[in-house]
Amino acid sequence: MKKILLSIAAVFFAALTANAVVTQQVVLKNGTVLYGYTQKQDMKGNIVFCTEKAVVVLDGDNVESITNERSYKLKDLNTKWEDWARQNNVVAQSDKNASLTLCDIIVKSGIADNLVAVADSAAEPDKQYDGAVMHNAYKVRVLERGKKVKYLELIPNIYNIKRTDIEAIKGERRGKALLSGINRVYTMKNGREVEGQYAGETNTTLSLFVNGDVVETFDKGDVIKYAFRPVNPMQDIFEQSRLIDCVRTKAGANICGVMIEQNYSGKKNSDNYVLIQQRSGGIQSVKISDISEIYRDENAGYAPKEDIILSENEVMINRTPATYVNVVEENDMLYPDSINNKVLVEKGGKPAATVAVEYNGGNRTGADRFQIVRLKPVQKKRETKYVFSYKDLAMSSIRPHKVETSVNNTTRAEYTVGGTGLFLLYDAVARKALLFEIK
């Protein structure tokens, strides 16, 4: 039973497009690779798998024809095709009028492959055919033809597969900029615990990324507990979980939340269990022997925090690059030597604007790195200067209400700034500044 449940357990990594849900890379024994997530699995090992992308391999003898082969302008296709074509050097990066050849794959009638697409999503993306065998693929890119036919599908689809058809499940490391996610903690028979990011599994092994890109592999039989731990202590587990796990019991009950543990320390399924944390904060225990199936839905509360990787002394204001200007001191007044390089901040009808300043200051971090002051226009020799004073810095500067530094040494300071006009972020040590204007 352990092997059946493991493939549906939460696997989270940063391979997400704008609307895609890609949490697993499943490699089948026939060479097919599915990218997506396990939507449902019963205790007989039947799996419903939702894909955002698939590289499908078919026996050439089972293919009736490769038809409707034609060239499409990239600009007329889904942006995924353009990204794939340019990243794989199928078309020149600079060719704005590039085309890509796509086709339809028609499979011989009566053929029953282990891989069954249950939704012809390319032709009718919102229609599903329960129990119908839909082999044909439309508007795909042929990668190999002949004895084997291999094609790339970049339109969401749904596949029925069996656990026994799976060669391996693979994970990818979270991107360095992603500050949210779920780690796994494996407990061994000897009591040893190992925490890391999910790296993959086969029928007999489990793997974790443990130190950097180092992968540690374990025999499945040696692991008696799988715990799932959120990596960001500033967020709850629901904000860091891309999907919601739901357990349907044989008695007909549905228990939904985030799976936080699978325990196989007992000898019988009636002694083993899973733990589901619910939104209310309660934790529900379900015996393995009582489970009918497990299914998953997208989590509307998913709110990952993403960092930004900056070089030393690089600064962003509301995720817009900001440029330093020199500060000139004249009598009791200070002013920037130029106001051309300013970041525009939209107030959006609110009484005050939130100004988020992100920077990598090397060894210079902390809440006092920048002070915000409002600049005042002063006429000087037929020229308007935007000035401030040391008194303004001491008495009227705006301090951040929140400062945090990530593992990437990126400091994020948030300020609440009322009113409109031209403002300056002053670095007293460097005697330089950054400008922004609130409208």
mmCIF file of all heavy atoms in Angstrom, residues 237-276:
data_model
loop_
_atom_site.group_PDB
_atom_site.id
_atom_site.type_symbol
_atom_site.label_atom_id
_atom_site.label_comp_id
_atom_site.label_asym_id
_atom_site.label_seq_id
_atom_site.Cartn_x
_atom_site.Cartn_y
_atom_site.Cartn_z
ATOM 1 N N ILE A 237 0.915 26.353 6.091
ATOM 2 C CA ILE A 237 1.142 25.303 5.098
ATOM 3 C C ILE A 237 0.218 25.451 3.893
ATOM 4 O O ILE A 237 0.574 25.090 2.776
ATOM 5 C CB ILE A 237 0.992 23.907 5.745
ATOM 6 C CG1 ILE A 237 1.594 22.831 4.825
ATOM 7 C CG2 ILE A 237 -0.461 23.609 6.111
ATOM 8 C CD1 ILE A 237 1.761 21.484 5.514
ATOM 9 N N PHE A 238 -0.976 26.038 4.087
ATOM 10 C CA PHE A 238 -1.905 26.206 2.970
ATOM 11 C C PHE A 238 -1.408 27.258 1.990
ATOM 12 O O PHE A 238 -1.648 27.155 0.789
ATOM 13 C CB PHE A 238 -3.300 26.571 3.488
ATOM 14 C CG PHE A 238 -4.033 25.400 4.069
ATOM 15 C CD1 PHE A 238 -3.915 25.091 5.410
ATOM 16 C CD2 PHE A 238 -4.820 24.580 3.270
ATOM 17 C CE1 PHE A 238 -4.568 23.997 5.956
ATOM 18 C CE2 PHE A 238 -5.474 23.484 3.804
ATOM 19 C CZ PHE A 238 -5.348 23.193 5.151
ATOM 20 N N GLU A 239 -0.708 28.273 2.470
ATOM 21 C CA GLU A 239 -0.157 29.287 1.578
ATOM 22 C C GLU A 239 0.999 28.746 0.753
ATOM 23 O O GLU A 239 1.358 29.319 -0.278
ATOM 24 C CB GLU A 239 0.314 30.488 2.393
ATOM 25 C CG GLU A 239 -0.805 31.264 3.072
ATOM 26 C CD GLU A 239 -0.278 32.353 3.978
ATOM 27 O OE1 GLU A 239 0.508 32.035 4.886
ATOM 28 O OE2 GLU A 239 -0.644 33.526 3.759
ATOM 29 N N GLN A 240 1.573 27.625 1.177
ATOM 30 C CA GLN A 240 2.741 27.066 0.498
ATOM 31 C C GLN A 240 2.432 25.799 -0.286
ATOM 32 O O GLN A 240 3.331 25.219 -0.901
ATOM 33 C CB GLN A 240 3.836 26.782 1.534
ATOM 34 C CG GLN A 240 4.256 28.028 2.298
ATOM 35 C CD GLN A 240 5.380 27.774 3.273
ATOM 36 O OE1 GLN A 240 6.493 27.450 2.868
ATOM 37 N NE2 GLN A 240 5.107 27.922 4.552
ATOM 38 N N SER A 241 1.178 25.373 -0.279
ATOM 39 C CA SER A 241 0.786 24.131 -0.947
ATOM 40 C C SER A 241 0.015 24.452 -2.225
ATOM 41 O O SER A 241 -1.030 25.090 -2.177
ATOM 42 C CB SER A 241 -0.096 23.274 -0.029
ATOM 43 O OG SER A 241 0.553 22.992 1.176
ATOM 44 N N ARG A 242 0.546 24.003 -3.361
ATOM 45 C CA ARG A 242 -0.093 24.303 -4.653
ATOM 46 C C ARG A 242 -1.418 23.558 -4.803
ATOM 47 O O ARG A 242 -2.332 24.037 -5.458
ATOM 48 C CB ARG A 242 0.857 23.892 -5.785
ATOM 49 C CG ARG A 242 0.368 24.284 -7.189
ATOM 50 C CD ARG A 242 0.390 25.782 -7.360
ATOM 51 N NE ARG A 242 0.180 26.194 -8.727
ATOM 52 C CZ ARG A 242 -0.902 26.853 -9.142
ATOM 53 N NH1 ARG A 242 -1.864 27.121 -8.312
ATOM 54 N NH2 ARG A 242 -0.996 27.242 -10.398
ATOM 55 N N LEU A 243 -1.539 22.393 -4.170
ATOM 56 C CA LEU A 243 -2.727 21.563 -4.315
ATOM 57 C C LEU A 243 -3.298 21.183 -2.957
ATOM 58 O O LEU A 243 -2.597 21.185 -1.945
ATOM 59 C CB LEU A 243 -2.400 20.288 -5.108
ATOM 60 C CG LEU A 243 -1.871 20.489 -6.526
ATOM 61 C CD1 LEU A 243 -1.313 19.194 -7.078
ATOM 62 C CD2 LEU A 243 -2.952 21.033 -7.440
ATOM 63 N N ILE A 244 -4.583 20.868 -2.960
ATOM 64 C CA ILE A 244 -5.270 20.368 -1.774
ATOM 65 C C ILE A 244 -5.452 18.856 -1.926
ATOM 66 O O ILE A 244 -5.846 18.374 -2.992
ATOM 67 C CB ILE A 244 -6.647 21.038 -1.611
ATOM 68 C CG1 ILE A 244 -6.476 22.524 -1.298
ATOM 69 C CG2 ILE A 244 -7.469 20.355 -0.526
ATOM 70 C CD1 ILE A 244 -5.830 22.810 0.037
ATOM 71 N N ASP A 245 -5.136 18.096 -0.880
ATOM 72 C CA ASP A 245 -5.314 16.642 -0.882
ATOM 73 C C ASP A 245 -6.659 16.299 -0.257
ATOM 74 O O ASP A 245 -7.015 16.836 0.797
ATOM 75 C CB ASP A 245 -4.207 15.975 -0.054
ATOM 76 C CG ASP A 245 -2.823 16.322 -0.562
ATOM 77 O OD1 ASP A 245 -2.576 16.125 -1.760
ATOM 78 O OD2 ASP A 245 -2.000 16.805 0.241
ATOM 79 N N CYS A 246 -7.384 15.403 -0.897
ATOM 80 C CA CYS A 246 -8.669 14.949 -0.369
ATOM 81 C C CYS A 246 -8.667 13.425 -0.295
ATOM 82 O O CYS A 246 -8.304 12.747 -1.261
ATOM 83 C CB CYS A 246 -9.826 15.409 -1.248
ATOM 84 S SG CYS A 246 -10.057 17.214 -1.263
ATOM 85 N N VAL A 247 -9.074 12.896 0.848
ATOM 86 C CA VAL A 247 -9.173 11.461 1.057
ATOM 87 C C VAL A 247 -10.645 11.084 1.099
ATOM 88 O O VAL A 247 -11.424 11.668 1.862
ATOM 89 C CB VAL A 247 -8.482 11.047 2.372
ATOM 90 C CG1 VAL A 247 -8.752 9.568 2.666
ATOM 91 C CG2 VAL A 247 -6.981 11.309 2.291
ATOM 92 N N ARG A 248 -11.029 10.149 0.248
ATOM 93 C CA ARG A 248 -12.388 9.611 0.274
ATOM 94 C C ARG A 248 -12.338 8.238 0.931
ATOM 95 O O ARG A 248 -11.599 7.352 0.495
ATOM 96 C CB ARG A 248 -12.983 9.512 -1.128
ATOM 97 C CG ARG A 248 -14.428 8.996 -1.148
ATOM 98 C CD ARG A 248 -15.040 9.100 -2.540
ATOM 99 N NE ARG A 248 -15.265 10.487 -2.892
ATOM 100 C CZ ARG A 248 -14.835 11.081 -4.006
ATOM 101 N NH1 ARG A 248 -14.110 10.384 -4.881
ATOM 102 N NH2 ARG A 248 -15.111 12.344 -4.254
ATOM 103 N N THR A 249 -13.103 8.064 1.994
ATOM 104 C CA THR A 249 -13.069 6.801 2.726
ATOM 105 C C THR A 249 -14.076 5.812 2.138
ATOM 106 O O THR A 249 -14.971 6.183 1.380
ATOM 107 C CB THR A 249 -13.399 7.015 4.209
ATOM 108 O OG1 THR A 249 -14.778 7.397 4.336
ATOM 109 C CG2 THR A 249 -12.507 8.084 4.820
ATOM 110 N N LYS A 250 -13.925 4.564 2.512
ATOM 111 C CA LYS A 250 -14.843 3.526 2.047
ATOM 112 C C LYS A 250 -16.251 3.765 2.574
ATOM 113 O O LYS A 250 -17.231 3.298 1.975
ATOM 114 C CB LYS A 250 -14.334 2.154 2.495
ATOM 115 C CG LYS A 250 -13.037 1.749 1.809
ATOM 116 C CD LYS A 250 -12.490 0.430 2.346
ATOM 117 C CE LYS A 250 -11.178 0.058 1.661
ATOM 118 N NZ LYS A 250 -10.581 -1.173 2.219
ATOM 119 N N ALA A 251 -16.372 4.506 3.676
ATOM 120 C CA ALA A 251 -17.685 4.833 4.235
ATOM 121 C C ALA A 251 -18.328 6.018 3.531
ATOM 122 O O ALA A 251 -19.473 6.380 3.834
ATOM 123 C CB ALA A 251 -17.547 5.131 5.728
ATOM 124 N N GLY A 252 -17.602 6.647 2.578
ATOM 125 C CA GLY A 252 -18.152 7.750 1.798
ATOM 126 C C GLY A 252 -17.796 9.133 2.303
ATOM 127 O O GLY A 252 -18.221 10.135 1.723
ATOM 128 N N ALA A 253 -17.007 9.251 3.365
ATOM 129 C CA ALA A 253 -16.604 10.557 3.882
ATOM 130 C C ALA A 253 -15.492 11.158 3.027
ATOM 131 O O ALA A 253 -14.650 10.430 2.494
ATOM 132 C CB ALA A 253 -16.135 10.418 5.327
ATOM 133 N N ASN A 254 -15.500 12.487 2.881
ATOM 134 C CA ASN A 254 -14.449 13.207 2.172
ATOM 135 C C ASN A 254 -13.726 14.120 3.157
ATOM 136 O O ASN A 254 -14.359 14.975 3.791
ATOM 137 C CB ASN A 254 -15.028 14.042 1.031
ATOM 138 C CG ASN A 254 -15.552 13.188 -0.098
ATOM 139 O OD1 ASN A 254 -14.828 12.376 -0.648
ATOM 140 N ND2 ASN A 254 -16.825 13.354 -0.436
ATOM 141 N N ILE A 255 -12.423 13.943 3.268
ATOM 142 C CA ILE A 255 -11.611 14.730 4.196
ATOM 143 C C ILE A 255 -10.562 15.471 3.380
ATOM 144 O O ILE A 255 -9.716 14.847 2.734
ATOM 145 C CB ILE A 255 -10.941 13.819 5.236
ATOM 146 C CG1 ILE A 255 -12.011 13.024 6.006
ATOM 147 C CG2 ILE A 255 -10.092 14.642 6.207
ATOM 148 C CD1 ILE A 255 -11.464 11.837 6.740
ATOM 149 N N CYS A 256 -10.651 16.808 3.382
ATOM 150 C CA CYS A 256 -9.760 17.612 2.537
ATOM 151 C C CYS A 256 -8.883 18.531 3.375
ATOM 152 O O CYS A 256 -9.280 19.014 4.435
ATOM 153 C CB CYS A 256 -10.585 18.442 1.554
ATOM 154 S SG CYS A 256 -11.478 17.445 0.325
ATOM 155 N N GLY A 257 -7.701 18.762 2.882
ATOM 156 C CA GLY A 257 -6.725 19.636 3.529
ATOM 157 C C GLY A 257 -5.368 19.423 2.891
ATOM 158 O O GLY A 257 -5.276 19.187 1.685
ATOM 159 N N VAL A 258 -4.324 19.485 3.683
ATOM 160 C CA VAL A 258 -2.975 19.207 3.204
ATOM 161 C C VAL A 258 -2.444 17.988 3.947
ATOM 162 O O VAL A 258 -2.473 17.941 5.179
ATOM 163 C CB VAL A 258 -2.037 20.405 3.426
ATOM 164 C CG1 VAL A 258 -0.609 20.045 3.017
ATOM 165 C CG2 VAL A 258 -2.510 21.610 2.636
ATOM 166 N N MET A 259 -2.001 16.984 3.189
ATOM 167 C CA MET A 259 -1.443 15.791 3.804
ATOM 168 C C MET A 259 -0.105 16.146 4.445
ATOM 169 O O MET A 259 0.810 16.628 3.778
ATOM 170 C CB MET A 259 -1.262 14.690 2.771
ATOM 171 C CG MET A 259 -0.900 13.338 3.364
ATOM 172 S SD MET A 259 -0.797 12.035 2.107
ATOM 173 C CE MET A 259 -2.504 11.918 1.573
ATOM 174 N N ILE A 260 0.005 15.916 5.763
ATOM 175 C CA ILE A 260 1.232 16.276 6.471
ATOM 176 C C ILE A 260 2.017 15.057 6.932
ATOM 177 O O ILE A 260 3.158 15.190 7.381
ATOM 178 C CB ILE A 260 0.929 17.189 7.677
ATOM 179 C CG1 ILE A 260 -0.014 16.499 8.664
ATOM 180 C CG2 ILE A 260 0.384 18.532 7.214
ATOM 181 C CD1 ILE A 260 -0.190 17.270 9.959
ATOM 182 N N GLU A 261 1.416 13.856 6.816
ATOM 183 C CA GLU A 261 2.159 12.668 7.223
ATOM 184 C C GLU A 261 1.535 11.419 6.609
ATOM 185 O O GLU A 261 0.312 11.321 6.484
ATOM 186 C CB GLU A 261 2.171 12.530 8.743
ATOM 187 C CG GLU A 261 3.029 11.375 9.256
ATOM 188 C CD GLU A 261 3.054 11.290 10.772
ATOM 189 O OE1 GLU A 261 3.188 12.364 11.420
ATOM 190 O OE2 GLU A 261 2.929 10.168 11.305
ATOM 191 N N GLN A 262 2.405 10.473 6.231
ATOM 192 C CA GLN A 262 2.005 9.102 5.901
ATOM 193 C C GLN A 262 2.837 8.193 6.801
ATOM 194 O O GLN A 262 4.068 8.262 6.770
ATOM 195 C CB GLN A 262 2.285 8.781 4.435
ATOM 196 C CG GLN A 262 1.461 9.595 3.456
ATOM 197 C CD GLN A 262 1.822 9.278 2.024
ATOM 198 O OE1 GLN A 262 2.266 8.173 1.725
ATOM 199 N NE2 GLN A 262 1.656 10.243 1.140
ATOM 200 N N ASN A 263 2.182 7.390 7.600
ATOM 201 C CA ASN A 263 2.888 6.576 8.586
ATOM 202 C C ASN A 263 2.679 5.098 8.287
ATOM 203 O O ASN A 263 1.554 4.613 8.221
ATOM 204 C CB ASN A 263 2.383 6.897 9.991
ATOM 205 C CG ASN A 263 3.313 6.370 11.070
ATOM 206 O OD1 ASN A 263 3.584 5.171 11.131
ATOM 207 N ND2 ASN A 263 3.801 7.268 11.916
ATOM 208 N N TYR A 264 3.794 4.376 8.096
ATOM 209 C CA TYR A 264 3.761 2.953 7.750
ATOM 210 C C TYR A 264 4.569 2.133 8.763
ATOM 211 O O TYR A 264 5.195 1.150 8.419
ATOM 212 C CB TYR A 264 4.319 2.744 6.347
ATOM 213 C CG TYR A 264 3.587 3.532 5.300
ATOM 214 C CD1 TYR A 264 4.120 4.726 4.811
ATOM 215 C CD2 TYR A 264 2.361 3.106 4.814
ATOM 216 C CE1 TYR A 264 3.448 5.469 3.865
ATOM 217 C CE2 TYR A 264 1.686 3.848 3.854
ATOM 218 C CZ TYR A 264 2.226 5.024 3.392
ATOM 219 O OH TYR A 264 1.547 5.751 2.452
ATOM 220 N N SER A 265 4.555 2.565 10.021
ATOM 221 C CA SER A 265 5.334 1.864 11.044
ATOM 222 C C SER A 265 4.679 0.557 11.483
ATOM 223 O O SER A 265 5.330 -0.307 12.072
ATOM 224 C CB SER A 265 5.550 2.770 12.262
ATOM 225 O OG SER A 265 4.298 3.208 12.772
ATOM 226 N N GLY A 266 3.371 0.387 11.186
ATOM 227 C CA GLY A 266 2.685 -0.845 11.550
ATOM 228 C C GLY A 266 2.874 -1.946 10.520
ATOM 229 O O GLY A 266 3.294 -1.706 9.385
ATOM 230 N N LYS A 267 2.524 -3.143 10.902
ATOM 231 C CA LYS A 267 2.670 -4.284 9.996
ATOM 232 C C LYS A 267 1.465 -4.445 9.083
ATOM 233 O O LYS A 267 1.554 -5.067 8.026
ATOM 234 C CB LYS A 267 2.901 -5.566 10.802
ATOM 235 C CG LYS A 267 4.225 -5.595 11.550
ATOM 236 C CD LYS A 267 4.416 -6.910 12.282
ATOM 237 C CE LYS A 267 5.759 -6.944 13.015
ATOM 238 N NZ LYS A 267 5.956 -8.241 13.728
ATOM 239 N N LYS A 268 0.302 -3.924 9.496
ATOM 240 C CA LYS A 268 -0.924 -4.077 8.713
ATOM 241 C C LYS A 268 -1.445 -2.695 8.317
ATOM 242 O O LYS A 268 -1.167 -1.687 8.979
ATOM 243 C CB LYS A 268 -1.985 -4.811 9.539
ATOM 244 C CG LYS A 268 -1.591 -6.210 9.979
ATOM 245 C CD LYS A 268 -2.720 -6.881 10.772
ATOM 246 C CE LYS A 268 -2.989 -6.128 12.068
ATOM 247 N NZ LYS A 268 -4.027 -6.824 12.878
ATOM 248 N N ASN A 269 -2.231 -2.664 7.220
ATOM 249 C CA ASN A 269 -2.804 -1.401 6.775
ATOM 250 C C ASN A 269 -3.722 -0.786 7.822
ATOM 251 O O ASN A 269 -3.881 0.433 7.900
ATOM 252 C CB ASN A 269 -3.571 -1.586 5.467
ATOM 253 C CG ASN A 269 -2.639 -1.725 4.281
ATOM 254 O OD1 ASN A 269 -1.488 -1.292 4.339
ATOM 255 N ND2 ASN A 269 -3.117 -2.330 3.216
ATOM 256 N N SER A 270 -4.344 -1.620 8.626
ATOM 257 C CA SER A 270 -5.214 -1.110 9.689
ATOM 258 C C SER A 270 -4.422 -0.430 10.802
ATOM 259 O O SER A 270 -4.980 0.310 11.606
ATOM 260 C CB SER A 270 -6.062 -2.249 10.269
ATOM 261 O OG SER A 270 -5.229 -3.293 10.748
ATOM 262 N N ASP A 271 -3.104 -0.659 10.836
ATOM 263 C CA ASP A 271 -2.236 -0.009 11.828
ATOM 264 C C ASP A 271 -1.581 1.257 11.272
ATOM 265 O O ASP A 271 -1.022 2.053 12.033
ATOM 266 C CB ASP A 271 -1.132 -0.968 12.282
ATOM 267 C CG ASP A 271 -1.677 -2.203 12.980
ATOM 268 O OD1 ASP A 271 -2.733 -2.095 13.637
ATOM 269 O OD2 ASP A 271 -1.057 -3.282 12.838
ATOM 270 N N ASN A 272 -1.626 1.428 9.958
ATOM 271 C CA ASN A 272 -0.976 2.560 9.310
ATOM 272 C C ASN A 272 -2.001 3.638 8.970
ATOM 273 O O ASN A 272 -3.193 3.361 8.834
ATOM 274 C CB ASN A 272 -0.250 2.092 8.043
ATOM 275 C CG ASN A 272 0.824 1.060 8.360
ATOM 276 O OD1 ASN A 272 1.471 1.136 9.403
ATOM 277 N ND2 ASN A 272 0.997 0.089 7.471
ATOM 278 N N TYR A 273 -1.533 4.872 8.762
ATOM 279 C CA TYR A 273 -2.490 5.971 8.602
ATOM 280 C C TYR A 273 -1.855 7.143 7.861
ATOM 281 O O TYR A 273 -0.624 7.219 7.683
ATOM 282 C CB TYR A 273 -2.974 6.442 9.974
ATOM 283 C CG TYR A 273 -1.855 6.890 10.897
ATOM 284 C CD1 TYR A 273 -1.384 8.206 10.868
ATOM 285 C CD2 TYR A 273 -1.263 5.987 11.785
ATOM 286 C CE1 TYR A 273 -0.356 8.610 11.699
ATOM 287 C CE2 TYR A 273 -0.223 6.387 12.620
ATOM 288 C CZ TYR A 273 0.228 7.699 12.575
ATOM 289 O OH TYR A 273 1.261 8.094 13.383
ATOM 290 N N VAL A 274 -2.721 8.060 7.454
ATOM 291 C CA VAL A 274 -2.279 9.352 6.930
ATOM 292 C C VAL A 274 -2.877 10.438 7.816
ATOM 293 O O VAL A 274 -3.934 10.244 8.427
ATOM 294 C CB VAL A 274 -2.703 9.577 5.459
ATOM 295 C CG1 VAL A 274 -2.092 8.527 4.560
ATOM 296 C CG2 VAL A 274 -4.208 9.624 5.308
ATOM 297 N N LEU A 275 -2.204 11.584 7.876
ATOM 298 C CA LEU A 275 -2.711 12.732 8.618
ATOM 299 C C LEU A 275 -3.002 13.864 7.644
ATOM 300 O O LEU A 275 -2.160 14.218 6.806
ATOM 301 C CB LEU A 275 -1.685 13.209 9.657
ATOM 302 C CG LEU A 275 -1.327 12.238 10.787
ATOM 303 C CD1 LEU A 275 -0.312 12.885 11.728
ATOM 304 C CD2 LEU A 275 -2.566 11.803 11.553
ATOM 305 N N ILE A 276 -4.206 14.426 7.750
ATOM 306 C CA ILE A 276 -4.624 15.546 6.908
ATOM 307 C C ILE A 276 -4.844 16.758 7.803
ATOM 308 O O ILE A 276 -5.652 16.714 8.738
ATOM 309 C CB ILE A 276 -5.936 15.231 6.152
ATOM 310 C CG1 ILE A 276 -5.782 13.987 5.291
ATOM 311 C CG2 ILE A 276 -6.364 16.437 5.309
ATOM 312 C CD1 ILE A 276 -4.890 14.151 4.090
#
